[in-house]
Amino acid sequence: MAIITLTRQAGSLGDEIGMLIARRLGYTFFDKKEIEKRIIAKGLPKEDFVKFDERKPKLLDRFTKNRDRYLNYLSMVILEIAKEGNCVIMGRGAFLFLRDVPSHITVRFVSTKQARLNHIKEITGITTDKVALKLIDDSDKRQAAFYKSCFRYDLNDHSLIQATINTAMIPPDMLCDMFVAGITNNVHKEIEEAGQKKVCELILAQQMTNKLIFEHGLHIDELWVLVEDKKIILHGVTSFHATVERAEMILESEYAGYKVESKIKCVQDNRFSKA
């Protein structure tokens, strides 16, 4: 059982290869449509999904809780899919949510501009290079802006990607054969169990994040909750020590048996403490 996440340039055959890999392995393929359905079912308005999904939010939207809600819903859906296992997830920053999971494999598909151009024209019916090139350039800019804005991640940095493959150089069937053989021969029971344990910890951490921020309304910027065995570690920035203490109290009372350690940076607001 492996968790496969893919990213791709427009026109690089990424979706087609992803579906073929899923079919060969007997896995479930999750694309934008299926992820959107799951996020909306959890309660996020469709207009918010459309506003933030794989695109750069408008300036004012970057500072609203709507984007944070979208990202938290997205994180939970990705993690729940990963818990089901035997899945191929396309795009949406899934590889960043799952980067510490042992059974997770991530690949980025790229291609030459000409090959991308030809494929876009073929699948869209566009007849002119100029229009097709604009579609490709707009897609590249939108995707790069989404990752930079929502994850502070540069798509040109492949340090968190296990493999980047030029699909113009390897036939899809050969690529799938290589991929399937690699997973079948190397993802063993021990890796699967370690992966499932990590995914469960990530889900629990996301639930704790949602509880502190959305249920209790605590003001902690860049809150990151890490769960390791029976230990909860909190990271982030806030203005008041009382906020940190309340966060610790909430988690200790609602998650019995877990020890809470705070590494939240407290930037004390001294505006009203001056003589």
Side-chain angles (χ1 to χ4, degrees):
M1 179 190 298
I3 303 161
I4 302 168
T5 59
L6 307 173
T7 59
R8 79 286 189 236
Q9 293 179 324
S12 66
L13 292 172
D15 291 273
E16 293 86 345
I17 294 172
M19 286 187 281
L20 184 57
I21 289 171
R23 193 179 308 124
R24 293 269 188 93
L25 287 168
Y27 284 13
T28 304
F29 182 76
F30 292 89
D31 58 3
K32 174 183 177 179
K33 185 176 180 180
E34 183 60 32
I35 292 172
E36 176 184 2
K37 185 191 305 181
R38 292 193 177 209
I39 289 178
I40 291 174
K42 283 187 172 295
L44 185 75
K46 183 169 183 176
E47 55 267 27
D48 284 343
F49 180 87
V50 173
K51 185 186 296 183
F52 296 110
D53 186 64
E54 287 219 337
R55 63 183 63 247
K56 181 180 181 180
K58 295 179 180 178
L59 182 61
L60 291 179
D61 289 329
R62 297 183 213 174
F63 303 100
T64 68
K65 280 197 171 183
N66 287 341
R67 187 187 70 169
D68 292 341
R69 287 186 184 277
Y70 160 75
L71 288 172
N72 283 10
Y73 277 116
L74 176 62
S75 172
M76 187 58 74
V77 165
I78 294 297
L79 293 172
E80 288 174 352
I81 290 172
K83 186 177 180 182
E84 296 171 11
N86 291 352
C87 56
V88 178
I89 308 172
M90 177 58 72
R92 326 259 93 71
F95 74 98
L96 294 170
F97 293 118
L98 298 167
R99 61 187 180 187
D100 296 323
V101 176
S103 56
H104 168 229
I105 298 160
T106 185
V107 175
R108 179 162 177 78
F109 296 122
V110 299
S111 191
T112 63
K113 184 61 72 76
Q114 188 60 52
R116 297 172 67 193
L117 179 67
N118 293 341
H119 184 59
I120 287 294
K121 290 171 69 176
E122 179 183 350
I123 64 175
T124 63
I126 293 173
T127 57
T128 64
D129 287 359
K130 183 177 180 180
V131 175
L133 282 172
K134 185 177 187 309
L135 190 153
I136 289 172
D137 289 341
D138 287 347
S139 175
D140 288 349
K141 290 176 182 176
R142 188 168 58 248
Q143 189 181 63
F146 167 74
Y147 279 89
K148 183 177 181 180
S149 174
C150 292
F151 302 103
R152 297 182 181 179
Y153 181 78
D154 181 357
L155 273 178
N156 294 317
D157 174 12
H158 293 187
S159 60
L160 297 179
I161 300 289
Q162 292 165 332
T164 300
I165 299 174
N166 184 340
T167 59
M169 302 179 68
I170 305 176
D173 283 335
M174 180 184 295
L175 176 57
C176 288
D177 287 342
M178 294 165 54
F179 210 97
V180 170
I183 291 174
T184 303
N185 294 331
N186 292 282
V187 180
H188 303 301
K189 182 179 179 180
E190 293 77 11
I191 296 176
E192 295 174 7
E193 291 176 348
Q196 280 296 294
K197 179 177 182 292
K198 186 61 180 180
V199 168
C200 289
E201 290 177 344
L202 290 171
I203 290 175
L204 183 58
Q206 186 62 57
Q207 291 171 345
M208 293 175 179
T209 300
N210 293 347
K211 182 174 291 292
L212 294 177
I213 299 299
F214 297 115
E215 287 187 30
H216 293 275
L218 299 189
H219 296 287
I220 305 174
D221 294 329
E222 300 181 359
L223 177 62
W224 172 38
V225 180
L226 179 64
V227 177
E228 295 178 344
D229 295 322
K230 287 295 182 177
K231 187 175 183 180
I232 302 168
I233 304 172
L234 304 178
H235 298 265
V237 179
T238 190
S239 297
F240 302 102
H241 291 290
T243 302
V244 179
E245 293 170 358
R246 179 157 171 71
E248 293 174 341
M249 182 185 69
I250 290 169
L251 296 181
E252 287 173 350
S253 63
E254 299 196 26
Y255 296 91
Y258 284 85
K259 180 181 179 182
V260 181
E261 177 185 344
S262 175
K263 294 187 178 181
I264 295 174
K265 295 180 180 178
C266 188
V267 183
Q268 186 68 43
D269 190 341
N270 293 316
R271 288 176 297 171
F272 306 108
S273 63
K274 295 180 180 179

